[in-house]
Amino acid sequence: MGLLARAAPLILGLFIALAYKVHEELSVTPSVPNNIEFYEYWGPKGGDPYGDSLEIVPFNISYPSAVIERLREKLYDGPSLTAPLEGTNFQYGFNSGRLEKIVDYWRTDYLDRWNEREAYLNKFNHFKTKIQGLDIHFIRDKSESVVNPKRIVPLLMLHGWPGSVREFYDIIPRLSNRTSDKDYVFDVIVPSLPGYGWSQGTTKPGLSASKVAVIMKNLMARLGYKRFYIQGGDWGAIIGNLMAILFEKDILGIHLNMCMASESPLTIGKMIVSSFAPRYFIEEQYVEFYQPVWPKIVQLVVESGYMHLQATKPDTIGTALEANPVGLAAYILEKFSTWTDPANRDLADGGLETHYTLDALLDNVMIYYLTNSITTSQRLYAESFNMEETSKRYERIPTNVPAACAKFRHELMQYPDWILKDHFTNLMQTNHYDDGGHFAAMQLPDVLYADIVQFVNRLYVR
């Protein structure tokens, strides 16, 4: 051990030199393309690439009772679940004993009140419009009483996987209503990502996160906004970040609750360096958010098996989950357990109802089930991680868009500000929260709301 300790500086120096060399040789920073394909067609084969209607039509969530009763039958006729191992909770994945209780609630109490849940999902104004050949669904909530355009702030909110627009239901009215903490109201636009929920999936390969960023930009243009703010987590954070890179002059500010550093070997080197002397690089009260590094990396590996599967074989796992509501619920709800707090693995109920209601969780599952969108949602991983897309690596391009990072204690991965600032060169705000995880908008809407308002208040000009 003594020899290893003495050799550590040499090993570290060699690693940093190697990281710089790899960075120099393999990662020539791409430039923002001058000819972004704003009209690239993603609709069905044989469709008109220039046939998009500019029409925005109201959309209502409505399913016949026969669809709901068919779901109830599937839940009654579901698989016989294998009993969990003795003395285990969620350490091996979703505990089957807990799952049986959730399924029983789903097929009885929840589905008995489906009309109520459907009405709840329709509480905001829903719309659809055709963008680049795809029907794109979005929620829009805008104050009817504020008419001065200078006091209306456009905000695009982007969800991730396995979330949906349902994540934002508690925070939307806080943002769109008049409140004493802000001199404006938000015009809140919450789209379903292409292939998620009620937004149409493409039939063509290649719809990666950078391509989705263009679709989202075109959606905001359709709504009359050239410049706007962005908020997002998970894929929403990745897509929002790409929009801040590709359309830097048009993004007023970007607020993320999953800030990612530049994709480069140098970032890895910096993470290792900070692990040797964390208090030199990180304010002491926040060291535990980032250190020790290795257990956090192990934790990330434990939680990222789904990513490898969806980035390589999305249709295989999709086939296993389509028309299989019990499996779908287990696959999705497990993430709401351990991504909210890894300690939930040790709880008999997975900690799900500590932070969420079963109705809210099942609303989200129902969106995937009713729209049959689990496979199309997972393809975003395969498209975004393929070799052609990876070779572009727009994420390496720094952005000077004003940025804010809300850091919740149990987020899957955290980067210290001194590393983030290489990418977010205008990082204006960082707040650390001792609670919270990956689904901040759904778990802690009041906290996330206050963080967004604090950021926009810094930039808002009457």
Side-chain angles (χ1 to χ4, degrees):
M1 187 66 183
L3 179 61
L4 180 61
R6 287 193 293 272
L10 176 61
I11 294 171
L12 178 60
L14 290 172
F15 182 90
I16 295 172
L18 178 62
Y20 270 106
K21 185 66 175 175
V22 171
H23 182 258
E24 179 182 357
E25 293 185 359
L26 299 182
S27 60
V28 176
T29 301
S31 58
V32 176
N34 294 321
N35 57 339
I36 296 173
E37 295 184 71
F38 277 100
Y39 305 107
E40 190 170 6
Y41 179 75
W42 295 106
K45 184 177 181 180
D48 182 357
Y50 303 100
D52 285 358
S53 167
L54 302 181
E55 188 179 15
I56 298 171
V57 297
F59 173 74
N60 186 64
I61 300 165
S62 179
Y63 291 89
S65 59
V67 172
I68 303 307
E69 290 310 309
R70 177 58 182 146
L71 170 57
R72 196 193 303 269
E73 290 173 9
K74 288 183 177 182
L75 293 174
Y76 272 115
D77 297 336
S80 298
L81 302 178
T82 302
L85 293 171
E86 294 179 5
T88 63
N89 293 310
F90 276 61
Q91 294 90 344
Y92 285 76
F94 207 103
N95 183 283
S96 57
R98 176 64 176 140
L99 182 58
E100 286 177 343
K101 293 178 181 178
I102 290 175
V103 169
D104 182 64
Y105 177 85
W106 189 4
R107 71 189 176 202
T108 55
D109 189 285
Y110 181 91
L111 289 185
D112 287 346
R113 296 180 293 107
W114 172 245
N115 287 341
E116 169 195 313
R117 298 317 305 163
E118 196 171 64
Y120 180 82
L121 291 173
N122 281 309
K123 68 182 290 187
F124 301 114
N125 293 318
H126 294 247
F127 302 91
K128 279 190 176 184
T129 191
K130 194 171 288 293
I131 304 285
Q132 295 172 245
L134 297 177
D135 285 331
I136 299 299
H137 159 262
F138 63 96
I139 291 171
R140 186 176 191 181
D141 199 46
K142 180 180 179 182
S143 172
E144 297 290 338
S145 62
V146 178
V147 295
N148 184 346
K150 292 183 178 180
R151 293 189 178 273
I152 298 173
V153 175
L155 176 64
L156 175 68
M157 302 193 79
L158 299 171
H159 68 81
W161 186 93
S164 66
V165 296
R166 177 62 180 84
E167 291 180 68
F168 300 110
Y169 268 54
D170 289 334
I171 198 172
I172 289 172
R174 292 168 168 82
L175 293 163
S176 61
N177 288 333
R178 291 183 173 184
T179 51
S180 60
D181 56 353
K182 58 185 189 291
D183 295 331
Y184 49 87
V185 295
F186 289 98
D187 182 359
V188 186
I189 295 101
V190 185
S192 295
L193 299 180
Y196 286 71
W198 297 283
S199 281
Q200 186 178 3
T202 184
T203 59
K204 295 172 52 181
L207 186 55
S208 63
S210 62
K211 305 292 188 179
V212 174
V214 176
I215 292 174
M216 294 296 104
K217 182 68 165 64
N218 281 333
L219 171 64
M220 294 302 285
R222 177 71 52 81
L223 297 177
Y225 289 121
K226 175 178 171 57
R227 308 192 71 205
F228 51 90
Y229 289 88
I230 300 172
Q231 200 289 319
D234 193 84
W235 277 115
I238 294 170
I239 294 165
N241 178 36
L242 284 163
M243 294 178 75
I245 294 166
L246 298 173
F247 312 110
E248 185 176 80
K249 294 181 180 179
D250 293 336
I251 307 304
L252 296 170
I254 181 168
H255 181 285
L256 306 176
N257 53 285
M258 191 185 78
C259 284
M260 304 294 288
S262 174
E263 290 187 358
S264 82
L266 189 58
T267 295
I268 299 173
K270 287 186 173 183
M271 291 291 284
I272 294 174
V273 168
S274 67
S275 72
F276 280 86
R279 284 169 174 77
Y280 181 79
F281 298 98
I282 305 165
E283 293 180 64
E284 186 166 357
Q285 67 267 37
Y286 302 132
V287 167
E288 290 183 3
F289 275 77
Y290 313 99
Q291 300 293 331
V293 168
W294 301 118
K296 293 183 183 298
I297 291 175
V298 169
Q299 167 68 19
L300 186 62
V301 170
V302 168
E303 290 298 332
S304 61
Y306 81 98
M307 182 185 294
H308 181 75
L309 188 59
Q310 293 174 190
T312 55
K313 310 288 185 182
D315 287 23
T316 301
I317 185 61
T319 300
L321 298 175
E322 287 177 356
N324 175 13
V326 176
L328 182 68
Y331 196 66
I332 289 176
L333 295 183
E334 182 219 305
K335 308 309 180 192
F336 280 85
S337 169
T338 54
W339 291 4
T340 296
D341 187 342
N344 286 340
R345 283 197 205 95
D346 300 323
L347 302 179
D349 64 355
L352 286 169
E353 291 182 84
T354 304
H355 304 284
Y356 315 104
T357 66
L358 278 184
D359 282 356
L361 293 170
L362 289 172
D363 286 346
N364 184 65
V365 174
M366 286 289 282
I367 291 173
Y368 280 90
Y369 176 80
L370 292 171
T371 61
N372 197 33
S373 59
I374 189 63
T375 300
T376 53
S377 72
Q378 292 170 158
R379 286 175 180 162
L380 183 57
Y381 288 83
E383 302 296 3
S384 300
F385 293 123
N386 70 28
M387 291 303 293
E388 182 180 351
E389 180 69 17
T390 301
S391 67
K392 298 174 184 175
R393 289 191 179 275
Y394 294 134
E395 290 88 344
R396 287 198 219 121
I397 303 173
T399 177
N400 196 46
V401 169
C405 294
K407 299 183 180 183
F408 294 88
R409 175 58 68 100
H410 303 300
E411 182 55 270
L412 294 171
M413 189 65 180
Q414 305 274 19
Y415 291 90
D417 283 4
W418 74 283
I419 295 177
L420 288 174
K421 287 177 180 178
D422 285 345
H423 177 69
F424 297 102
T425 58
N426 192 10
L427 183 60
M428 298 180 62
Q429 174 180 305
T430 297
N431 289 320
H432 295 74
Y433 298 102
D434 286 331
D435 195 7
H438 191 66
F439 305 98
M442 197 167 175
Q443 181 189 358
L444 299 170
D446 288 339
V447 176
L448 186 64
Y449 163 80
D451 203 278
I452 295 168
V453 170
Q454 181 186 358
F455 173 57
V456 177
N457 281 347
R458 295 171 181 262
L459 300 169
Y460 175 68
V461 178
R462 295 184 186 182

